[in-house]
Structure formats: structure tokens, C-alpha cells
Amino acid sequence: MDKHGKALLDPIVAALYPIRKLALMPLIMIIFGLTELEKMVIIALGTFFLVLINTVAGVVNLDRIYWDVAKNYGADRRNYYLTVALPGALPMIFAGIKLGMGMALLLIVAAEMNGAVGGIGYRIWESYAIFNIPEMYVSFIVMSFLGYVFTIALDEVEHWIIPWKRD
């Protein structure tokens, strides 16, 4: 990423990232209603900056030599980003996606606690309301299991997309 793009992006990210996405939930509920779209918007807002910040960090932290080599082979800025920077930043992008996945699980549970009629968040809230502690803990275990399964799935996708990066 060039200096101009980063200079434009940094203040926007610095201003919007600290806003707690759950604090925006009432506004999002007013705009989108109590629908699945509302949950998707909350998750998208909550995960966007995690992936964006990691992607920018991955591109910015590439060695300058890669740009020089790409330029020597006639690559313009677009070709550099598509063929060098994006593949070079993929490990950081996947780190952001994994962070986003964890945040998405937390946000979906929180979104389901308000006005939902099903889901893990709904089960946790209902179990809490009627003091059904065993069911509440089962919901926590299900949430943990989903986090584990999604992490393994993302690891497999990462190994498939980035074969040159082995742990």
C-alpha cells in the first residue's frame, strides 16, 4: 500500500474501529429490524476492521525488495498488488479472518440475545432467565465447539490457499 492510500485509510480506521459494534446494535435493529440481515450487518461491522487492519499490515510489512523485483520485471502497481502483495499478505489476511471468526461468534451470540427466537445466544439468555444453568453451560460448550471447528476449517483452507506457508 502506498503512502497516500495509508494516509487516507489510517484516520478513518482510527476513528471507526474503537466504536463497539454492540453499541450500534439498537441503531442497526431500527434500520434493519429483527431479521437475519441485522445479524449479518453486525457481524460484518465487527469483523471488517480486524481483517482490514491485518491485510494492511501484511501488505505494508512486505520487504521493499519485492516491489523492486516486480518493477524490474515490468509490473505496474496493479500487477504488483495482485501478484506479489496479495499473496505475500495472505498469512496476515488469514490471521485477521481467524480473529474475525472469533469476533463473529461473540457477536452472533449477542445479536441472538435480543429479539431472537432461536440460536445459541437465545438459548443462553433463556437459560439464564429461568435459571437453567446446565442448559446454559451446554450452550457455552456448543459455542466453544463451533469455535474449534471453524478454526480447524480455516486452518485447512489456509493450508490449501497458501501451500508455501507450513507451520
Side-chain angles (χ1 to χ4, degrees), residues 138-160:
V138 167
S139 299
F140 291 149
I141 291 168
V142 168
M143 191 172 140
S144 297
F145 178 74
L146 287 173
Y148 178 72
V149 169
F150 292 152
T151 299
I152 289 173
L154 281 174
D155 284 341
E156 290 301 315
V157 170
E158 182 179 16
H159 287 300
W160 180 69

Side-chain angles (χ1 to χ4, degrees), residues 98-161:
K98 288 176 188 175
L99 288 170
M101 182 272 307
M103 180 60 69
L105 278 173
L106 293 172
L107 289 171
I108 193 65
V109 168
E112 288 173 347
M113 286 181 172
N114 290 322
V117 293
I120 296 173
Y122 171 79
R123 286 276 163 235
I124 292 170
W125 190 252
E126 286 297 308
S127 300
Y128 167 76
I130 62 172
F131 208 66
N132 186 352
I133 303 302
E135 185 176 324
M136 188 171 69
Y137 279 107
V138 167
S139 299
F140 291 149
I141 291 168
V142 168
M143 191 172 140
S144 297
F145 178 74
L146 287 173
Y148 178 72
V149 169
F150 292 152
T151 299
I152 289 173
L154 281 174
D155 284 341
E156 290 301 315
V157 170
E158 182 179 16
H159 287 300
W160 180 69
I161 291 177

Side-chain angles (χ1 to χ4, degrees), residues 72-100:
N72 286 338
Y73 279 99
D76 59 3
R77 188 168 297 280
R78 180 178 170 273
N79 284 336
Y80 168 73
Y81 282 115
L82 290 176
T83 60
V84 178
L86 179 63
L90 277 174
M92 288 294 291
I93 293 170
F94 268 95
I97 291 171
K98 288 176 188 175
L99 288 170

